[in-house]
């Protein structure tokens, strides 16, 4: 039993990667699934697609490596966070499609909470803000809008879970209704300081607390898979939300360390240590990971649209055939044009948190075309990263503590995710932020983090200090843009954002 099977259930695809005893990749499999958009700003997944693609990719990875379930020491799971499912505890049948983290249907209710003065309590208890992004208001919507759901929930017949919980429940044949602290911390129902579900928040959202799963450490016993699923029972030993798993995979174990993942969205997490730092700049206070009953906290900035802006160029505008085409177009763009794209397709995340905003383009001329659109799309990721970095630096400077003050003065971004392979994009991020960008040799940091949590729990992988020694730099991108043009371009971006929010 020397291998770990790591599951990465993401927003657009499910992946399974098999790691050997030296944390090297032995096999991998990936499968995309359909996205559903029933109304403007609404995003849903078929729960059966999440389950089917997870199981099929796990089996494919095992078959590819010639490993049977008896050779597995454990399973680690990392998942798209905040995506919300509710199902019948007896039949296992979901009452509705999964409501995806990008979904904005509860924007009006979130505004009502803010106008009623509840956001201070939300932030105090959960570290979050009143925004449709989080699971709690999605769960309330399901209970309110699905016929008979609230009555069934009050009768104890329905269970809530994020994707990790749903997969574990099905893998264990309904024996384990559990989650980990990082996923619970994204629900808007978990008290991150007391380490338990908040009755105050459940009352505010009108959610029966009995629906919620048991919360465990990120490395723990989450149950055992049904024997017929993979051919033998396998323990599930590690769970973390995707951005927290990437934080672990990047070995950001010390206060002041920062990682930024560029996938469908962009998510930057800054380790703040054993004490939660309350943001003065509308960032989120969250749990980075929890080991041995002790949470490590982080500040997080969430950008809803990063890699998804490239998908929009392909699927929405039809100006590229694949993501690889974007770079050539961006390089060929007219330097005399300054086209700014604000990709608020599903609202704006940190530090603006404007659920009602929608995308906009500024600076178009008669000569603007696919090349300028491609460059503006990639640059939007850099501009949004600077938004987050400036907010984090301000919070760190005000929080106190030597490590955080030092990080505020000299921050290096450890990057990962699909967009991080683009040298052009990473160089622009370094240029516009004025901060070095470090790309590691291993870009599969999210799934590596899930594998390490499970492998450490299984006793075949080392502890945090030894694991951190294995992090290796592949490329460092140093800032090359002078301060004056950097600040001028960022000022243009800020003007564009303000104009977008005012519409």
């Amino acid at each position: 039993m020397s291998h770990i099977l790591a599951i990465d259930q993401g927003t657009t695809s499910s992946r399974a990667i098999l790691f050997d005893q030296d944390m090297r990749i032995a096999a991998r499999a990936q499968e995309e699934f359909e996205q559903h958009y029933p109304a403007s700003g609404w995003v849903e997944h078929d729960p059966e697609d999440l389950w089917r693609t997870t199981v099929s990719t796990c089996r494919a990875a095992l078959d590819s490596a010639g490993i049977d379930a008896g050779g597995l020491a454990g399973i680690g799971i990392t998942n798209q966070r905040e995506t919300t499912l509710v199902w019948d505890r007896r039949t296992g049948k979901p009452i509705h499609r999964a409501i995806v983290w990008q979904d904005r249907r509860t924007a009006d209710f979130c505004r009502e909470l803010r106008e009623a003065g509840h956001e201070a309590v939300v932030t105090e208890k959960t570290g979050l803000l009143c925004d449709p992004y989080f699971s709690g208001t999605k769960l309330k919507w399901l209970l309110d809008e699905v016929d008979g759901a609230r009555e069934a929930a009050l009768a104890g017949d329905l269970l809530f879970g994020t994707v990790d919980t749903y997969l574990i429940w099905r893998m264990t044949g309904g024996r384990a209704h559990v989650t980990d602290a990082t996923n619970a911390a994204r629900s808007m129902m978990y008290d991150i300081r007391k380490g338990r579900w908040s009755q105050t928040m459940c009352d505010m959202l009108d959610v029966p607390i009995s629906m919620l799963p048991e919360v465990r450490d990120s490395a723990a016993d989450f149950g055992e898979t049904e024997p017929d699923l993979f051919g033998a029972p396998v323990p599930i030993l590690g769970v973390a939300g995707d951005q927290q798993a990437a934080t672990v995979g990047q070995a950001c174990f010390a206060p002041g360390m920062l990682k930024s993942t560029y996938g469908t969205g962009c998510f930057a997490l800054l380790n703040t240590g054993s004490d939660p730092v309350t943001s003065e700049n509308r960032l989120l206070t969250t749990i980075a990971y929890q080991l041995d009953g002790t949470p490590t906290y982080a500040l997080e900035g969430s950008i809803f649209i990063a890699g998804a802006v490239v998908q929009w160029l392909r699927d929405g505008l039809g100006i590229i055939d694949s993501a690889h085409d974007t770079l050539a177009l961006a390089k060929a763009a007219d330097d005399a044009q300054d086209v700014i794209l604000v990709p608020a397709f599903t609202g704006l995340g940190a530090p603006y948190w404007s659920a009602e905003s929608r995308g906009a383009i500024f600076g178009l001329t008669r000569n603007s075309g696919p090349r300028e659109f491609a460059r503006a799309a990639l640059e939007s990721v850099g501009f949004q990263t600077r938004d987050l970095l400036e907010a984090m630096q301000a919070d760190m400077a005000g929080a106190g503590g030597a490590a955080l003050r030092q990080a505020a003065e000299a921050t290096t971004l450890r990057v990962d995710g699909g967009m991080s392979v683009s040298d052009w994009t990473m160089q622009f991020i370094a240029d516009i932020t004025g901060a070095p960008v470090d790309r590691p040799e291993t870009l599969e940091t999210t799934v590596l983090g899930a594998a390490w949590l499970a492998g450490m729990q299984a006793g075949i992988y080392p502890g945090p200090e030894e694991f951190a020694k294995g992090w290796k730099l592949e490329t460092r991108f140093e800032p090359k843009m002078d301060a004056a043009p950097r600040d001028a371009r960022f000022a243009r971006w800020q003007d564009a954002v303000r104009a977008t929010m005012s519409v």
Side-chain angles (χ1 to χ4, degrees), residues 245-312:
T247 302
V248 169
Q250 287 274 35
C252 292
F253 296 127
M257 296 187 72
L258 171 66
K259 76 90 200 174
S260 190
T261 297
Y262 297 94
T264 301
C266 168
F267 303 88
L269 269 76
L270 171 81
N271 185 323
T272 63
S274 59
D275 296 320
V277 173
T278 299
S279 176
E280 300 296 329
N281 296 278
R282 296 184 66 75
L283 298 177
L284 308 176
T285 305
T286 193
I287 295 175
Y289 51 87
Q290 182 168 304
L291 302 175
D292 299 323
T294 301
T296 293
Y297 295 96
L299 282 173
E300 175 174 338
S302 306
I303 298 169
F304 298 148
I305 302 294
V309 75
V310 177
Q311 291 178 319
W312 173 71

Side-chain angles (χ1 to χ4, degrees), residues 19-334:
F19 289 85
D20 66 16
Q21 61 187 8
D22 297 316
M23 286 185 282
R24 295 176 302 198
I25 294 175
R28 71 181 82 204
Q30 182 169 355
E31 187 174 343
E32 293 188 357
F33 52 84
E34 186 177 1
Q35 309 291 301
H36 299 273
Y37 307 99
S40 177
W42 294 27
V43 190
E44 297 178 352
H45 292 157
D46 183 339
E48 197 59 33
D49 286 344
L50 305 182
W51 171 250
R52 174 184 52 79
T53 55
T54 295
V55 173
S56 64
T57 53
C58 286
R59 290 172 175 168
L62 290 170
D63 289 345
S64 176
I67 301 291
D68 60 32
L72 295 177
I75 291 174
I77 298 175
T78 183
N79 56 284
Q80 53 169 311
R81 305 173 304 170
E82 296 97 12
T83 295
T84 300
L85 299 100
V86 174
W87 62 95
D88 188 297
R89 70 162 64 242
R90 295 167 299 179
T91 67
K93 183 179 179 180
I95 67 169
H96 192 274
R97 284 179 182 158
I99 302 180
V100 180
W101 58 272
Q102 298 164 311
D103 191 282
R104 313 303 286 170
R105 72 186 66 186
T106 62
D108 288 345
F109 176 67
C110 290
R111 184 171 58 253
E112 291 173 10
L113 290 177
R114 291 193 298 271
E115 291 174 351
H118 292 308
E119 189 160 69
V121 174
V122 172
T123 299
E124 176 191 356
K125 297 286 186 185
T126 71
L128 309 178
L129 301 169
C130 293
D131 191 84
Y133 179 24
F134 308 109
S135 308
T137 62
K138 295 175 169 63
L139 174 53
K140 174 180 168 54
W141 186 93
L142 287 169
L143 295 180
D144 288 343
E145 300 298 328
V146 177
D147 287 345
R150 184 164 295 283
E151 292 77 8
L154 291 171
D157 295 334
L158 298 183
L159 300 177
F160 154 80
T162 42
V163 172
D164 60 308
T165 300
Y166 178 68
L167 294 179
I168 293 170
W169 192 87
R170 291 196 66 168
M171 285 181 170
T172 61
R175 295 188 305 275
H177 182 221
V178 294
T179 189
D180 91 300
T182 70
N183 278 293
R186 312 299 297 188
S187 67
M188 203 170 145
M189 296 177 286
Y190 188 72
D191 190 321
I192 61 171
R193 291 167 175 80
K194 294 181 178 178
R196 63 180 185 232
W197 297 115
S198 168
Q199 187 65 60
T200 299
M201 289 307 308
C202 288
D203 291 344
M204 184 185 299
L205 298 171
D206 200 13
V207 168
I209 202 168
S210 59
M211 296 181 67
L212 310 185
E214 179 185 341
V215 182
R216 297 182 180 174
D217 285 349
S218 303
D221 179 4
F222 291 91
E224 199 171 62
T225 65
E226 290 280 86
D228 60 353
L229 191 62
F230 302 122
V234 184
I236 303 168
L237 300 176
V239 175
D242 52 10
Q243 303 312 317
Q244 285 92 340
T247 302
V248 169
Q250 287 274 35
C252 292
F253 296 127
M257 296 187 72
L258 171 66
K259 76 90 200 174
S260 190
T261 297
Y262 297 94
T264 301
C266 168
F267 303 88
L269 269 76
L270 171 81
N271 185 323
T272 63
S274 59
D275 296 320
V277 173
T278 299
S279 176
E280 300 296 329
N281 296 278
R282 296 184 66 75
L283 298 177
L284 308 176
T285 305
T286 193
I287 295 175
Y289 51 87
Q290 182 168 304
L291 302 175
D292 299 323
T294 301
T296 293
Y297 295 96
L299 282 173
E300 175 174 338
S302 306
I303 298 169
F304 298 148
I305 302 294
V309 75
V310 177
Q311 291 178 319
W312 173 71
L313 295 176
R314 182 192 65 189
D315 303 334
L317 296 185
I319 63 175
I320 59 172
D321 293 323
S322 72
H324 300 292
D325 300 335
T326 313
L327 180 58
L329 286 173
K331 286 182 175 179
D334 181 3

